[in-house]
Amino acid sequence: MRVFLFATLVSLTVASAWAGTIGATQGDPFEHEGRIVGGEDTTIAAHPYQVSLQTKSGSHFCGGSLLDNETVVTAAHCLVGRKATKVFVRLGSTLYNEGGILVGVRNLTYNENYSSQTMENDVGILKLAEKVQETADIRYVELAKETPATGTTAVVTGWGAKCYFWCMTLPKVLQEVYVSIVDWRTCGSDAFKYGDIIYKSMVCAYEKKKDACQGDSGGPLVVGTNTLVGIVSWGYACASDGLPGVYSDVPNLREWIVEASKILQ
């Protein structure tokens, strides 16, 4: 869909260059999806919490993070309109299309306050149809309790597009890119181009010419070796100057994640 709206994005980009910021009315719904550009090949052993959400036919559509032996956290927009019985999760593989184990999903839900217009509270969880144990390539991630300070180094991983527009296929090998945390207030300030469309349930991450891209939605933004601080949510284009990747802020949404994980059967 992004390819067919190239002219629209060009217009948006030119307008934002003149205006300095991107307002909510200038954005298009197709822009509100997760966005890895400028990354490198990595292995699942380096990021064993990463999972791939797939259709019954094996197509990767979003990323996710394994919380415990039966719970995966992802973005709400990855789950809207989907039935649990038609979603599968591949764990423990560097390649999204083979290896590791493929497990069905028995139930799913997303934050009741999620807004597809503002992208606030973009978080959801899935319950696996069978429990999985930790191995060298499958590990549970920890939920951050506090948002890291602006400038903190983090890593985002996924199988999303490696560039914008001209990349027609997803990489089969897991990608990683290191970025710097930008707190939500700074992300919405004059230091960047988003303006007042960044909210408290969000956190940003930025590095010139590096970003998440289409297909990375729902995937992990991690600090240290195992602390989940963000969930790939949305952004304008990929790796664009002055436009950080926008993530759901895990500390802000932690209470919902913990409670929903307990309630969902």
Side-chain angles (χ1 to χ4, degrees):
M1 176 163 62
R2 288 174 179 263
V3 174
F4 297 115
L5 291 171
F6 177 78
T8 303
L9 181 66
V10 169
S11 299
L12 183 152
T13 303
V14 171
S16 66
W18 282 101
T21 61
I22 293 177
T25 56
Q26 290 176 289
D28 291 283
F30 78 96
E31 290 295 346
H32 277 162
E33 58 183 84
R35 345 159 276 134
I36 282 220
V37 173
E40 299 179 349
D41 289 358
T42 186
T43 66
I44 198 66
H47 310 284
Y49 44 78
Q50 170 87 52
V51 305
S52 167
L53 305 189
Q54 307 185 357
T55 62
K56 189 174 182 178
S57 65
S59 296
H60 167 85
F61 66 85
C62 272
S65 302
L66 186 65
L67 292 183
D68 56 40
N69 62 6
E70 62 176 0
T71 311
V72 169
V73 63
T74 186
H77 76 264
C78 290
L79 304 181
V80 174
R82 294 192 182 273
K83 295 182 178 180
T85 55
K86 294 185 177 182
V87 178
F88 294 82
V89 179
R90 189 176 299 278
L91 310 93
S93 179
T94 297
L95 307 176
Y96 79 78
N97 61 331
E98 61 179 282
I101 58 174
L102 188 64
V103 181
V105 172
R106 72 171 187 265
N107 207 349
L108 59 81
T109 190
Y110 55 87
N111 193 300
E112 61 278 6
N113 294 317
Y114 164 65
S115 168
S116 61
Q117 297 301 310
T118 66
M119 300 304 289
E120 293 175 274
N121 306 301
D122 188 14
V123 61
I125 61 170
L126 308 93
K127 286 292 183 177
L128 301 177
E130 58 187 86
K131 295 183 178 181
V132 297
Q133 302 304 313
E134 289 186 299
T135 68
D137 294 330
I138 299 176
R139 294 284 180 181
Y140 314 144
V141 76
E142 295 182 5
L143 298 174
K145 295 180 179 179
E146 295 182 357
T147 304
T150 293
T152 301
T153 298
V155 62
V156 57
T157 51
W159 289 276
K162 298 175 72 174
C163 62
Y164 197 50
F165 288 126
W166 52 88
C167 290
M168 297 294 103
T169 59
L170 301 179
K172 294 180 180 178
V173 176
L174 185 63
Q175 303 290 300
E176 68 174 6
V177 62
Y178 286 87
V179 291
S180 297
I181 295 291
V182 180
D183 70 79
W184 75 278
R185 291 186 185 279
T186 302
C187 192
S189 74
D190 292 341
F192 297 99
K193 298 178 181 179
Y194 283 127
D196 60 3
I197 60 174
I198 302 298
Y199 300 92
K200 190 175 182 180
S201 66
M202 303 172 186
V203 64
C204 299
Y206 185 69
E207 200 67 44
K208 287 188 176 181
K209 298 184 179 180
K210 294 183 178 182
D211 199 359
C213 207
Q214 305 101 300
D216 292 318
S217 284
L221 177 70
V222 167
V223 166
T225 59
N226 200 46
T227 302
L228 186 70
V229 299
I231 300 166
V232 179
S233 182
W234 66 278
Y236 288 99
C238 305
S240 296
D241 190 36
L243 296 171
V246 186
Y247 303 75
S248 299
D249 184 52
V250 168
N252 182 270
L253 298 166
R254 190 177 192 278
E255 183 177 351
W256 183 89
I257 297 171
V258 172
E259 289 304 311
S261 297
K262 293 178 181 177
I263 295 171
L264 191 66
Q265 298 300 312

